[in-house]
Amino acid sequence: MTTAVANAAQAALARGLEGIVAGETSICSVEQGKLIYRGYEIHDLAEHASFEETAFLLLVGHKPSPSELSRWTSELVAERALPAAVVEFLRSVVPSLKAGTAVPMDVLRTAVSILGHLDPDCQDNSAQANLRKSRRLLARTPTIIGHMQNLIDGRPIVGQDKGGDPMLGHAANLLYMMTGTKPGPEYARVLDISLTLYAEHDLNASTFTTRVIAATLSDMHGAVCGGIAALKGSLHGGANEMAMEMLKEIMRDVGETGIGSPAVDDWMQRAFDTKRKLMGFGHRVYKNGDHRAPILHKLGRSLAEKDTKNPGGHAATAWFRLGEHVQKIMLEKKKIHPNVDFPCGLTYFTMGIPVPQYTPIFVAARMSGWCSHIMEQHANNRLIRPLSIYSGPPEQKWNG
Ligand SMILES: CC(C)(COP(=O)(O)OP(=O)(O)OC[C@H]1O[C@@H](n2cnc3c(N)ncnc32)[C@H](O)[C@@H]1OP(=O)(O)O)[C@@H](O)C(=O)NCCC(=O)NCCS
């Protein structure tokens, strides 16, 4: 590179690709004030559409008619059960899950990879095969999560032959498979809405990963495994688990009586002084707030207010009060808003979902977005291959 070219490249370098337009999509638009899935705004979808409808919208490209929805829903139900080899793998990995050398996100990634080996369409990247694979992945991800949790808890696998209960919708069935108890309508609806909020978000890190992989003309299962690996990280989807772990840490330190007191301010000040990143806060695009967050916060808080459970040994509302205090301090001191992962952590905790399954549940939702993007990439492909600026040693002779 000449000096002039190197200087121009240095000037154009955007760390973390911030602000760089890296593609075009008809699936989703992410702006500061709006999140749109194929023309429909997220508040509208959260209020009126089920997750199954949202997934159809993303994957097929339009709002389903009543007959399309009925066919789509029964196709999803029919695809829920897992092949025996995947169940066998899940059983085999329980000791690693218990030892902590594997976490549910890793296990889910491998299980999805095995699904690929067994999928008759695995090596076929045509639009029709990709849609069939998307449907199977969407249907089976909750079954993997449910079976895995049963095995961790040491209970018999719930609904192994059919992948749960065919009479239950996607979200209700996920909760049923994880616990063996059929959830009430409010729990099912709140989980369903959280799946819709998590379903899609244009070129976030994991979706970008799936598109980079798909753009080499690699297969959908491979691309999705890459997406799961990317989503696991705490700066991305893993933040919903880490946000709750952080709240537990604060609660341990200040106690329920400390909520609203200067003890929380002191805890936060220590975090700021040590430059600790507070999980569930901040966003690359939404610098003035993530509009998915208040939707989920309101729903989660309302569940907590009606709940008699004592998650983590404290009243469900205590966790929300603590979360709200932390949010207030973050905004006052740092001008940083919560992202959707913050209320997600609180809401799933209130629902009694084990923390290490929060990000796998995010996968169950984002699968719809990833597969839509993989299909869009395959339909109009060009290899994704950016440049970098070399900052290594100058050229030298090996035998010099
Ligand atoms: C999401 C995230 C990775 C975006 O990162 P980004 O666009 O690269 O933003 P930066 O990390 O450059 O942040 C800009 C400034 O805000 C601070 N900041 C951003 N998020 C912060 C957080 N969660 N806690 C504390 N400080 C934060 C940074 O330290 C930085 O401060 P500085 O300029 O004094 O160094 C970042 O906000 C983060 O790490 N959040 C926590 C993880 C999380 O919740 N992820 C889920 C995202 S949906």
Side-chain angles (χ1 to χ4, degrees):
M1 248 187 229
T2 63
T3 311
V5 172
N7 287 345
Q10 192 71 50
L13 171 68
R15 282 193 76 227
L17 298 184
E18 181 166 6
I20 299 292
V21 177
E24 190 179 345
T25 181
S26 63
I27 301 166
C28 174
S29 163
V30 175
E31 295 168 35
Q32 175 53 64
K34 257 191 187 147
L35 170 59
I36 307 265
Y37 297 172
R38 295 205 188 269
Y40 297 92
E41 209 272 327
I42 197 67
H43 288 82
D44 192 11
L45 290 169
E47 196 172 341
H48 300 115
S50 67
F51 175 69
E52 284 93 322
E53 288 172 295
T54 305
F56 182 100
L57 171 73
L58 292 169
L59 288 160
V60 181
H62 63 264
K63 178 183 171 183
S65 68
S67 63
E68 283 174 322
L69 180 61
S70 149
R71 195 167 62 241
W72 175 249
T73 309
S74 21
E75 283 167 348
L76 282 175
V77 169
E79 299 282 12
R80 281 177 181 168
L82 294 182
V86 177
V87 181
E88 206 177 301
F89 159 70
L90 293 173
R91 286 190 194 284
S92 75
V93 85
V94 172
S96 305
L97 278 165
K98 290 199 168 150
T101 51
V103 294
M105 278 298 274
D106 306 340
V107 171
L108 178 57
R109 189 194 64 228
T110 305
V112 165
S113 191
I114 298 171
L115 283 180
H117 306 328
L118 304 169
D119 195 303
D121 290 316
C122 188
Q123 312 306 333
D124 183 349
N125 287 343
S126 67
Q128 297 84 344
N130 273 349
L131 185 57
R132 287 194 294 272
K133 286 186 280 187
S134 306
R135 211 169 47 216
R136 288 195 276 266
L137 282 164
L138 198 60
R140 290 175 187 174
T141 303
T143 318
I144 298 171
I145 298 169
H147 289 9
M148 191 191 331
Q149 192 55 46
N150 297 159
L151 291 164
I152 293 169
D153 292 343
R155 85 171 66 76
I157 290 180
V158 176
Q160 188 178 335
D161 54 337
K162 293 196 168 69
D165 181 343
M167 301 307 290
L168 294 176
H170 203 73
N173 192 49
L174 171 51
L175 284 173
Y176 169 59
M177 281 191 294
M178 287 181 84
T179 59
T181 307
K182 290 184 187 160
E186 195 171 2
Y187 268 47
R189 183 69 187 136
V190 171
L191 186 69
D192 182 274
I193 293 172
S194 76
L195 297 181
T196 295
L197 298 176
Y198 265 148
E200 164 54 13
H201 219 217
D202 84 355
L203 290 191
N204 60 88
S206 59
T207 304
F208 188 57
T209 303
T210 66
R211 287 195 79 130
V212 170
I213 296 171
T216 68
L217 297 183
S218 187
D219 67 283
M220 179 174 270
H221 284 81
V224 162
C225 286
I228 296 174
L231 193 77
K232 175 188 170 189
S234 58
L235 296 189
H236 191 10
N240 57 10
E241 296 179 15
M242 297 313 291
M244 199 57 228
E245 292 300 349
M246 180 187 78
L247 286 171
K248 285 201 231 167
E249 192 184 327
I250 304 175
M251 188 73 103
R252 258 195 317 270
D253 287 357
V254 307
E256 198 172 323
T257 50
I259 302 170
S261 80
V264 180
D265 298 66
D266 293 346
W267 193 99
M268 298 281 285
Q269 192 54 52
R270 283 195 296 278
F272 299 147
D273 291 346
T274 53
K275 302 238 172 282
R276 176 172 171 175
K277 278 261 171 104
L278 298 187
M279 293 298 154
F281 286 91
H283 198 275
R284 176 59 65 78
V285 182
Y286 302 134
K287 295 300 181 198
N288 298 320
D290 175 342
H291 37 277
R292 298 167 299 175
I295 301 177
L296 198 52
H297 189 97
K298 194 168 160 210
L299 291 165
R301 202 185 211 296
S302 146
L303 273 190
E305 276 158 14
K306 290 177 206 150
D307 231 306
T308 50
K309 279 208 207 97
N310 248 5
H314 296 281
T317 45
W319 294 100
F320 272 87
R321 283 190 290 112
L322 176 61
E324 284 156 12
H325 191 182
V326 168
Q327 278 178 211
K328 186 167 163 282
I329 297 168
M330 258 323 245
L331 203 53
E332 278 171 10
K333 297 265 169 67
K334 291 278 171 188
K335 312 254 172 305
I336 298 176
H337 295 260
N339 57 56
V340 68
D341 293 315
F342 195 69
C344 173
L346 283 163
T347 304
Y348 288 177
F349 196 65
T350 301
M351 295 172 84
I353 297 172
V355 176
Q357 296 292 9
Y358 295 2
T359 321
I361 293 175
F362 192 161
V363 172
R366 187 56 60 84
M367 190 63 80
S368 56
W370 288 338
C371 292
S372 308
H373 278 271
I374 293 164
M375 285 195 278
E376 190 176 62
Q377 188 65 41
H378 279 160
N380 183 17
N381 191 55
R382 188 154 192 236
L383 182 76
I384 298 171
R385 203 299 185 194
L387 299 174
S388 64
I389 295 168
Y390 178 65
S391 58
E395 191 179 338
Q396 52 202 309
K397 291 285 178 214
W398 189 255
N399 287 326

